Amino acid sequence: MEGQDEVSAREQHFHSQVRESTICFLLFAILYVVSYFIITRYKRKSDEQEDEDAIVNRISLFLSTFTLAVSAGAVLLLPFSIISNEILLSFPQNYYIQWLNGSLIHGLWNLASLFSNLCLFVLMPFAFFFLESEGFAGLKKGIRARILETLVMLLLLALLILGIVWVASALIDNDAASMESLYDLWEFYLPYLYSCISLMGCLLLLLCTPVGLSRMFTVMGQLLVKPTILEDLDEQIYIITLEEEALQRRLNGLSSSVEYNIMELEQELENVKTLKTKLERRKKASAWERNLVYPAVMVLLLIETSISVLLVACNILCLLVDETAMPKGTRGPGIGNASLSTFGFVGAALEIILIFYLMVSSVVGFYSLRFFGNFTPKKDDTTMTKIIGNCVSILVLSSALPVMSRTLGLHKLHLPNTSRDSETAKPSVNGHQKAL
């Protein structure tokens, strides 16, 4: 009997691992396809040649798509974990959701951390150096020469970062034990380096989020059709049409020798055409879209911003008054054992909405900053170098989102360290699991 029970437990463990691997693969495949369509929408079409550079661009495109899919997975994992907890509480004995357990959630977080490290320290530097490489002088030009140069650059970069960390460790903590721990790259060095990058991502989020919260109203105002109050759109369209015709006549009358005036007039004509398109869109919009959608969206943004600020203020007051409220990485009851919100499923849904709103606001604020304004992608006119930079920036922001959400009190999710559902999941020290 004991032998049969052991075989049965082994088979159950095998089937569980196969099921979790299949689910992870399907989820990542969906994210990869969506990320590929997003990147190809913004990628410059002139980069698509049929030569050696085309192969390099294609490889960099695949690596960037992989990184963007990992970033999307890191952002979606926190809401997925919250909603999974509420589903397991509502339907604890349902046969059709037995695949949704703590082991699966724990494994997804481990994979997100592993792939984030892989993208941040290997794939994205490789894609950038591979894109900029030309091969060493004296060697035969080709893909192999560019790969060799890229690997040498990666090795030099790794030595440079390792040396900087050693010097910093010697200056801050000149201890033999701390210096020896740096030799353990997998268990200490990479998680520590990733935690430092998550810290920088948190600081970047704290800088971008307030800017994004204020810019969200302006961005939504540009995307939606505003109500036409005391405005005559027909008259404005008539005036802008006359102005367009006048500029067109001036442009046709100028000689090709006056190049500066022609470029200036073409830019002005393009602005006039853009304004005319916006006015025509406002005229064609229905009364419901003009008078209902715009006010409703603005009120919804105001409510979400107010709730976010109120929750953060309450959490800061709790941290100042109650020392036990500090996020010390304590382990909670785990997935499916207790609700994360006093209001149950409604409170969890509100937390998910606020987390998504926080991430969107941080991305909007990131591109609104003057220093990162040139990073803004343009449709069909974004180089691969900018795409790589955008993917790295979004990866850093997404890796810091769970940490900042936990610190600001937007969620109280804890993953089990050891439980019946996660006996085979190995805990690792990284930024994601520290957040949980």
Side-chain angles (χ1 to χ4, degrees), residues 299-333:
V299 171
L300 184 62
L301 286 178
L302 183 61
I303 292 175
E304 289 181 348
T305 304
S306 303
I307 293 176
S308 302
V309 174
L310 183 62
L311 286 177
V312 171
C314 293
N315 186 65
I316 292 176
L317 290 177
C318 291
L319 293 178
L320 292 176
V321 175
D322 188 8
E323 185 180 355
T324 60
M326 293 290 292
K328 299 178 181 179
T330 56
R331 296 289 178 181

Side-chain angles (χ1 to χ4, degrees), residues 116-130:
S116 297
N117 281 290
L118 181 66
C119 294
L120 201 57
F121 300 120
V122 180
L123 298 185
M124 284 294 93
F126 178 85
F128 176 75
F129 289 129
F130 190 48

Side-chain angles (χ1 to χ4, degrees), residues 148-368:
L148 178 62
E149 181 183 353
T150 303
L151 294 178
V152 172
M153 292 298 298
L154 285 177
L155 179 61
L156 294 177
L157 180 63
L159 293 177
L160 176 63
I161 295 177
L162 187 63
I164 292 175
V165 173
W166 266 339
V167 172
S169 178
L171 293 176
I172 297 174
D173 187 12
N174 191 9
D175 188 9
S178 63
M179 296 297 293
E180 290 179 0
S181 63
L182 290 176
Y183 290 101
D184 194 352
L185 296 180
W186 184 257
E187 295 293 336
F188 180 83
Y189 184 77
L190 285 179
Y192 175 75
L193 191 59
Y194 185 73
S195 299
C196 293
I197 293 177
S198 296
L199 175 62
M200 291 189 293
C202 284
L203 297 178
L204 186 61
L205 274 178
L206 292 175
L207 179 64
C208 297
T209 305
V211 179
L213 291 175
S214 61
R215 282 279 300 169
M216 283 294 291
F217 296 91
T218 305
V219 172
M220 295 306 297
Q222 294 174 353
L223 296 176
L224 299 176
V225 178
K226 298 181 180 179
T228 55
I229 302 175
L230 300 178
E231 285 185 287
D232 190 353
L233 292 179
D234 293 329
E235 183 180 354
Q236 293 184 19
I237 293 175
Y238 178 71
I239 293 174
I240 206 71
T241 303
L242 293 178
E243 187 175 353
E244 180 185 1
E245 292 176 355
L247 287 173
Q248 192 68 47
R249 285 195 299 268
R250 289 179 57 188
L251 190 61
N252 294 334
L254 288 176
S255 61
S256 59
S257 59
V258 192
E259 184 178 353
Y260 175 76
N261 291 336
I262 290 178
M263 293 179 60
E264 185 177 355
L265 285 176
E266 286 180 349
Q267 181 65 34
E268 189 175 353
L269 181 61
E270 188 67 27
N271 296 334
V272 169
K273 288 182 178 179
T274 304
L275 182 57
K276 182 181 178 181
T277 303
K278 292 181 179 179
L279 290 175
E280 290 177 348
R281 178 172 177 265
R282 292 182 62 187
K283 183 181 178 181
K284 293 178 181 178
S286 63
W288 289 96
E289 185 179 358
R290 288 196 306 266
N291 302 323
L292 183 61
V293 175
Y294 182 83
V297 170
M298 288 301 166
V299 171
L300 184 62
L301 286 178
L302 183 61
I303 292 175
E304 289 181 348
T305 304
S306 303
I307 293 176
S308 302
V309 174
L310 183 62
L311 286 177
V312 171
C314 293
N315 186 65
I316 292 176
L317 290 177
C318 291
L319 293 178
L320 292 176
V321 175
D322 188 8
E323 185 180 355
T324 60
M326 293 290 292
K328 299 178 181 179
T330 56
R331 296 289 178 181
I335 296 292
N337 294 326
S339 180
L340 303 175
S341 175
T342 308
F343 302 100
F345 194 84
V346 177
L350 179 61
E351 288 181 355
I352 292 173
I353 293 173
L354 292 179
I355 289 172
F356 278 122
Y357 182 61
L358 179 69
M359 186 62 192
V360 174
S361 301
S362 63
V363 173
V364 172
F366 175 80
Y367 289 116
S368 300

Side-chain angles (χ1 to χ4, degrees), residues 42-178:
Y42 290 97
K43 182 177 177 293
R44 180 179 291 177
K45 303 302 179 182
S46 59
D47 290 342
E48 299 177 357
Q49 307 98 359
E50 294 297 332
D51 53 3
E52 178 184 317
D53 292 334
I55 299 176
V56 174
N57 281 325
R58 200 173 296 118
I59 294 175
S60 300
L61 173 64
F62 292 153
L63 296 180
S64 301
T65 305
F66 184 87
T67 302
L68 187 59
V70 171
S71 304
V75 172
L76 295 175
L77 261 181
L78 186 56
F80 180 75
S81 303
I82 295 174
I83 198 67
S84 300
N85 181 75
E86 300 301 324
I87 290 176
L88 290 175
L89 283 176
S90 302
F91 310 99
Q93 303 298 330
N94 195 313
Y95 174 76
Y96 296 101
I97 60 170
Q98 291 301 311
W99 57 272
L100 193 62
N101 50 40
S103 177
L104 174 64
I105 305 298
H106 197 89
L108 287 173
W109 280 102
N110 283 336
L111 287 176
S113 174
L114 174 64
F115 286 152
S116 297
N117 281 290
L118 181 66
C119 294
L120 201 57
F121 300 120
V122 180
L123 298 185
M124 284 294 93
F126 178 85
F128 176 75
F129 289 129
F130 190 48
L131 194 66
E132 300 295 328
S133 64
E134 297 180 356
F136 291 112
L139 295 179
K140 184 180 178 180
K141 300 297 181 181
I143 298 296
R144 292 184 179 180
R146 299 180 74 159
I147 292 177
L148 178 62
E149 181 183 353
T150 303
L151 294 178
V152 172
M153 292 298 298
L154 285 177
L155 179 61
L156 294 177
L157 180 63
L159 293 177
L160 176 63
I161 295 177
L162 187 63
I164 292 175
V165 173
W166 266 339
V167 172
S169 178
L171 293 176
I172 297 174
D173 187 12
N174 191 9
D175 188 9
S178 63

